[in-house]
Amino acid sequence: MDSDHRTPVVLCWHMHQPVYQDQHTGEFLFPWVYLHCIKDYVDMAAHLEAHPEARAVVNFAPVLLEQIEEYLVQIERWRHSGTAVSDPVLAALVADSLPEPGSPGFLELMEKCLRANENRIIKRFAPYKRLSELARFYRTRPDIQRYISPQLLVDLLVWYHLGWMGETVRRTHPVIQTLQEKSHQFTMEDRRALLDVIEELMAGLGPRYRHLSQTGQAELAMSPWAHPIVPLLLDFGSAREAMPDIRMPEHSTYPGGKDRADWHIRMGQQVFQRFFGEQAAGCWASEGGLSQDTLALLGEHGFQWTASGDSVGHNSFRLAKEQEALNKEPPIHRPFLFGEQPVTVFFRDDGLSDLIGFNYADWHAEDAVGDLVHHMENIASNSKAGDCPVISVILDGENAWEYYPENGYYFLDELYRVLKNHKTLRLTTYRNLLSEPVCDPVKLPHLVAGSWIYGTFSTWIGDPDKNRAWDLLCEAKQHYDRVMDNGSLTAEQKEKASYQLGLCEGSDWFWWFGDYNPAPVVRDFEHLYRRHLANLYDNIGYPAPARLFQPISQGGGEPARGGAMRPGHEAGGLE
């Protein structure tokens, strides 16, 4: 039993990007992997490094790690052979020639360089703001476009990357500071120096997080390989446990889902081991999507812990009471075991997590941290003797900071500063908690399947557009299964097809389908999903059905934070 009687607090940051690379052309269709690397992943490491007494869990999706590796390989190839990086935006940063003013390529690149938070990034820097205003004027005046200086695009490319730069880098890196001070008329030498910084930051991510793990500051955890919703791969019917009346796809189940879920976990473990040199003790099953069968699968692969949203816990408590296996609901801030499965389950405090994701961005950092810690202190003080509370704050480790001043610099610095030496709260990790142990887990008969969003799977299935996407995937999987069994593919072709299928099984495509999401983002993800599926058909040598090339979803909504994040409950904040 641990001698430190302070209440454990676990901060768990989830890092995840889907695969934006077309496996047939090699092109990265969107730059979000490397941009989040230089903005968020470096900052999250730096804040921990600045507070050696702090502790956190950092969870990585393996396909994100693979894409980081791919970028680094391509940058090195460009250095040695001049082969352009297959990300159009990054390639343009150091391209010898750019599209001519007035050309479609010029306009397309210009538009891409404006995809940044208007208030927190573009308007923060006067030169970037002026360039954005000029670009928007340029857009409305096709009659004068050919007279615009090519330097507009050069400076816009540089400022786009400077704007996305992590705050801890901006404050310390001499190259970034020099470029910001220069502010305009950037040369090829400037552009190449900026690419050097980008490569340096991306190459440093693996060693930095490995070191944080080795020193005990960070516990590194993983998700299944391409971030699929494992309970739905195993059984579409699991969605009915929390939503009995949910509308289902035409296909009753995902063909061979158990084998595919197993494949994603095995692949994820291999990538994680290669990148970090260790096995993960914990698995944030994609989107906190859990079911009793998912717990069994995680147990088969040797994971010690997993986590989800507190609504999943409350749904499971209610079922236990209905089955007379529980007299009253236990506190949500506890470790749990379900059925005979050995994997310990922790539930995030959705209220606390949503405060960071949706409320505190406009607060003064000290006030925000003071409010958050006050809520934690209340949880600790209201716990009864023997409760052994564990306060879990789990959220997106990348998208939230875009809405904070200086990429969340002051908030994160203050959060670690206050919590690292708190009198009644102590930062720790799940692996450390399980090794102590703090107290015995609460044992319940069955976990009601659901995710961290509303305790259901409604974000990924049930909507007509989402169901249609599932039916397209199920149909492709049926053709895949037949081809894999008929002996027409070599071992290498089978492996390639399996990899491509894995990309199609990721959670992100289904997340974005639906009228409540912004139309431009829905269009981007829908296009990428259908391209991944078309590539799968090509891999198995089977003609893609005509309906695959018809739009799945239109979008048109305006959700909070652009839909990239969701609150755990129907309304954000504390209940």
Side-chain angles (χ1 to χ4, degrees):
M1 186 68 69
D2 184 58
S3 59
D4 191 336
H5 297 295
R6 293 178 298 166
T7 297
V9 174
V10 177
L11 302 176
C12 182
W13 312 111
H14 176 48
M15 316 299 204
H16 161 57
Q17 294 294 318
V19 173
Y20 298 114
Q21 188 180 31
D22 183 321
Q23 300 302 302
H24 283 201
T25 66
E27 180 184 358
F28 282 96
L29 301 181
F30 303 102
W32 310 129
V33 166
Y34 84 86
L35 291 176
H36 281 294
C37 282
I38 66 174
K39 185 171 83 71
D40 302 303
Y41 309 148
V42 297
D43 268 2
M44 298 302 279
H47 283 292
L48 277 170
E49 290 163 349
H51 298 281
E53 304 92 338
R55 301 287 182 270
V57 176
V58 185
N59 189 90
F60 286 93
V63 287
L64 167 61
L65 301 176
E66 283 193 326
Q67 289 179 96
I68 293 171
E69 290 178 324
E70 177 65 17
Y71 269 101
L72 290 171
V73 167
Q74 292 200 17
I75 292 172
E76 279 303 299
R77 188 180 300 141
W78 169 79
R79 290 194 187 286
H80 291 98
S81 66
T83 306
V85 176
S86 62
D87 185 303
V89 179
L90 190 58
L93 178 62
V94 291
D96 291 326
S97 61
L98 291 170
E100 288 292 320
S103 69
F106 189 96
L107 186 64
E108 182 181 0
L109 265 176
M110 188 186 74
E111 294 291 344
K112 287 180 177 179
C113 290
L114 297 176
R115 294 188 72 169
N117 187 287
E118 180 81 15
N119 294 316
R120 296 301 192 195
I121 296 179
I122 294 177
K123 289 182 177 178
R124 178 184 174 189
F125 306 102
Y128 195 4
K129 180 173 179 287
R130 285 194 298 269
L131 287 166
S132 73
E133 291 168 351
L134 183 58
R136 290 180 177 111
F137 174 72
Y138 171 99
R139 181 195 300 154
T140 63
R141 294 292 303 274
D143 56 316
I144 66 167
Q145 287 177 2
R146 69 173 66 93
Y147 302 110
I148 296 292
S149 167
Q151 192 67 38
L152 168 65
L153 188 54
V154 170
D155 286 4
L156 201 50
L157 279 161
V158 172
W159 268 108
Y160 183 60
H161 291 91
L162 291 176
W164 271 87
M165 196 60 61
E167 190 64 21
T168 59
V169 182
R170 191 186 312 285
R171 290 168 180 246
T172 58
H173 205 293
V175 171
I176 301 304
Q177 293 172 339
T178 299
L179 292 175
Q180 288 189 176
E181 289 169 8
K182 183 173 182 179
S183 83
H184 66 289
Q185 292 293 317
F186 296 111
T187 65
M188 179 57 79
E189 184 180 0
D190 295 328
R191 293 153 64 187
R192 291 190 175 210
L194 182 52
L195 181 65
D196 288 344
V197 176
I198 292 170
E199 182 184 26
E200 169 194 326
L201 295 174
M202 294 184 73
L205 287 172
R208 290 174 77 177
Y209 280 103
R210 279 197 295 272
H211 181 72
L212 286 167
S213 175
Q214 289 162 2
T215 61
Q217 266 199 269
E219 176 187 353
L220 304 180
M222 58 165 275
S223 297
W225 182 71
H227 210 259
I229 304 297
V230 173
L232 295 180
L233 291 186
L234 296 175
D235 179 14
F236 282 169
S238 65
R240 296 192 190 279
E241 291 188 29
M243 300 182 72
D245 299 325
I246 191 171
R247 292 177 60 187
M248 293 300 226
E250 292 179 9
H251 291 77
S252 60
T253 190
Y254 184 64
K258 170 67 163 63
D259 287 341
R260 293 304 301 169
D262 189 78
W263 182 89
H264 279 276
I265 294 177
R266 283 189 289 104
M267 279 286 290
Q269 287 175 319
Q270 291 172 18
V271 173
F272 188 91
Q273 173 77 39
R274 186 176 76 249
F275 206 86
F276 293 122
E278 62 177 278
Q279 286 290 321
C283 178
W284 170 254
S286 316
E287 307 293 1
L290 293 179
S291 63
Q292 198 66 32
D293 287 343
T294 302
L295 291 181
L297 186 61
L298 295 178
E300 289 173 17
H301 284 271
F303 289 105
Q304 299 172 26
W305 64 264
T306 188
S308 188
D310 62 25
S311 295
V312 172
H314 291 302
N315 290 343
S316 303
F317 303 162
R318 281 193 287 273
L319 177 65
K321 288 171 71 176
E322 291 170 7
Q323 296 176 341
E324 298 183 351
L326 189 67
N327 293 323
K328 63 177 182 178
E329 288 198 9
I332 197 71
H333 306 98
R334 288 285 302 272
F336 291 86
L337 289 173
F338 289 90
E340 300 302 316
Q341 303 310 322
V343 182
T344 302
V345 180
F346 296 92
F347 294 111
R348 80 171 203 151
D349 188 306
D350 287 345
L352 297 182
S353 304
D354 287 346
L355 283 172
I356 298 175
F358 294 91
N359 291 54
Y360 289 149
D362 297 320
W363 289 38
H364 189 281
E366 290 185 8
D367 294 336
V369 171
D371 185 71
L372 181 70
V373 172
H374 176 67
H375 288 304
M376 293 178 176
E377 291 167 340
N378 284 343
I379 292 169
S381 63
N382 291 332
S383 299
K384 298 175 183 176
D387 274 355
C388 303
V390 177
I391 302 172
S392 295
V393 176
I394 305 174
L395 74 151
D396 191 316
E398 50 214 5
N399 291 305
W401 315 121
E402 180 183 342
Y403 298 88
Y404 279 69
E406 277 82 295
N407 205 41
Y409 179 89
Y410 298 106
F411 176 82
L412 287 164
D413 185 65
E414 179 72 2
L415 181 65
Y416 286 131
R417 186 191 69 79
V418 170
L419 286 178
K420 68 184 181 182
N421 290 316
H422 197 280
K423 292 181 179 178
T424 60
L425 305 170
R426 65 181 176 101
L427 289 174
T428 188
T429 66
Y430 291 130
R431 181 162 50 194
N432 284 349
L433 282 176
L434 295 179
S435 68
E436 292 172 0
V438 176
C439 58
D440 293 330
V442 177
K443 296 183 179 180
L444 295 174
H446 183 83
L447 182 136
V448 174
S451 76
W452 70 267
I453 304 178
Y454 316 147
T456 73
F457 295 126
S458 61
T459 301
W460 302 275
I461 199 169
D463 174 277
D465 293 349
K466 299 176 191 295
N467 288 349
R468 186 172 167 222
W470 274 110
D471 284 324
L472 286 172
L473 178 58
C474 288
E475 182 181 6
K477 179 60 163 58
Q478 289 171 335
H479 292 304
Y480 167 93
D481 287 342
R482 282 194 286 270
V483 172
M484 294 294 270
D485 290 339
N486 67 15
S488 62
L489 300 183
T490 66
E492 183 179 351
Q493 289 172 325
K494 285 184 176 182
E495 185 177 348
K496 189 175 180 181
S498 181
Y499 186 98
Q500 184 65 41
L501 175 62
L503 303 184
C504 301
E505 292 166 334
S507 67
D508 296 81
W509 325 120
F510 307 97
W511 169 293
W512 287 107
F513 299 143
D515 292 340
Y516 52 83
N517 278 313
V521 185
V522 172
R523 184 170 59 248
D524 288 348
F525 276 83
E526 191 226 35
H527 169 71
L528 190 50
Y529 177 62
R530 288 192 286 114
R531 183 178 285 202
H532 282 322
L533 276 175
N535 287 345
L536 173 62
Y537 276 104
D538 192 51
N539 283 351
I540 62 175
Y542 194 91
R547 59 184 159 276
L548 179 60
F549 302 99
Q550 300 167 357
I552 299 170
S553 187
Q554 301 296 325
E558 295 184 7
R561 302 294 189 256
M565 297 187 296
R566 299 268 164 80
H569 295 150
E570 291 289 351
L574 294 173
E575 291 187 315

